[in-house]
Amino acid sequence: MSASRMLERLRAVDWDMRWDLAFERCGSRQVLMWEYLRRAAVWAKACGAEGAWPFYDVTAYLDPGFELPPAQAAGLEELQRTVVWGELRKTCAGAVRLAGLGERTPEVVAGLPDLYEPLVLFYERGGSFSRDCSGVFIDLVGVMCRPGKLAGYLGSRPVDVLDDTVLDALEGEGRITYRQDEHGAGPLFRSRVQGEDLRVDEVLGPDLRWEPVDLPAGAAGLAAVDHLEAARRIGRMA
């Protein structure tokens, strides 16, 4: 993706946070943040930026002398004035500058995952994130995320498919638990708990739409899977 196109996407983000969208898209935003943290760990390890992880401008480590063309640099500076948090500004700069560096020197980004794409998708699906008062947790709006340590992400299986169809399938009202056959075969199920008494059981169809289903009491014969494994399974069906 070109630096100009990346700049356009970031300019279109509602940085004031659409609380309705953020809550509605809590499931996908949680997965997108995790996948960004994983990719950021891979890049940090590859270019000696471990101390800057997780939110950083990687181009400073790849090519310290790199500069955007004047028009793009001015556009990025204007964008950064509209963004409140320093970590957001760093990642916006990183996304635009890495796109520009990749245009000029494609071999620099070869062999590594698209670093900022999950985070840009996160921004597009509900705006920014913030830190809690302790600075330890990331507030994604609707869910808190503790990044943990960089080493914990290295070697983790990626969530490769991040198109809108897959991300939309991760959304739903209520507290969601995903389930599959104990042996990992068969379809993917989920239960959505709304309020104290209402539980809605669903199965994911081949068109990646959730359909009502009657699960046995206690979901006998099914094992719970986390949201990351659910995202991987949905991606394989896409």
Side-chain angles (χ1 to χ4, degrees):
M1 180 179 299
S2 69
S4 296
R5 175 59 185 142
M6 181 59 74
L7 192 54
E8 287 177 7
R9 290 177 65 187
L10 291 169
R11 280 172 171 160
V13 171
D14 185 350
W15 295 104
D16 291 333
M17 282 200 288
R18 285 281 306 278
W19 289 83
D20 54 339
L21 283 182
F23 278 107
E24 180 183 318
R25 297 173 176 175
C26 178
S28 65
R29 279 165 55 90
Q30 188 176 8
V31 169
L32 288 167
M33 178 58 75
W34 182 90
E35 178 59 17
Y36 166 74
L37 293 171
R38 188 198 70 80
R39 295 186 188 190
V42 171
W43 275 83
K45 183 71 173 177
C47 63
E50 292 95 330
W53 183 85
F55 302 108
Y56 61 105
D57 176 359
V58 73
T59 58
Y61 299 87
L62 296 172
D63 185 348
F66 173 74
E67 294 185 4
L68 290 167
Q72 292 177 353
L76 176 58
E77 184 177 348
E78 180 183 358
L79 168 68
Q80 289 180 299
R81 286 197 293 268
T82 69
V83 179
V84 176
W85 299 101
E87 290 178 324
L88 301 179
R89 290 195 294 270
K90 285 181 184 178
T91 55
C92 286
V96 175
R97 285 166 51 79
L98 184 60
L101 181 60
E103 286 182 279
R104 192 187 73 180
T105 317
E107 60 271 19
V108 171
V109 299
L112 288 168
D114 189 345
L115 172 53
Y116 293 104
E117 182 62 16
L119 194 57
V120 174
L121 288 169
F122 173 93
Y123 294 148
E124 290 175 329
R125 292 181 72 85
S128 62
F129 63 86
S130 61
R131 294 277 190 168
D132 75 333
C133 295
S134 71
V136 173
F137 290 89
I138 303 172
D139 185 352
L140 309 183
V141 184
V143 65
M144 301 289 279
C145 162
R146 184 169 187 165
K149 296 185 180 297
L150 179 153
Y153 293 89
L154 299 175
S156 297
R157 290 192 298 128
V159 178
D160 287 318
V161 183
L162 298 175
D163 62 32
D164 284 341
T165 305
V166 172
L167 296 174
D168 288 346
L170 292 167
E171 315 300 9
E173 293 184 23
R175 189 173 69 255
I176 297 175
T177 301
Y178 295 98
R179 293 184 172 89
Q180 65 181 11
D181 179 271
E182 291 177 338
H183 305 290
L188 181 67
F189 301 95
R190 74 178 183 182
S191 297
R192 296 188 292 110
V193 178
Q194 299 172 281
E196 296 183 1
D197 303 317
L198 179 61
R199 190 184 93 173
V200 179
D201 295 326
E202 298 168 317
V203 61
L204 188 64
D207 59 354
L208 299 190
R209 294 182 181 275
W210 294 99
E211 303 166 0
V213 68
D214 291 324
L215 292 180
L222 299 177
V225 295
D226 65 23
H227 61 288
L228 296 173
E229 183 56 31
R232 296 183 187 106
R233 284 207 56 179
I234 295 169
R236 290 196 294 270
M237 294 174 63

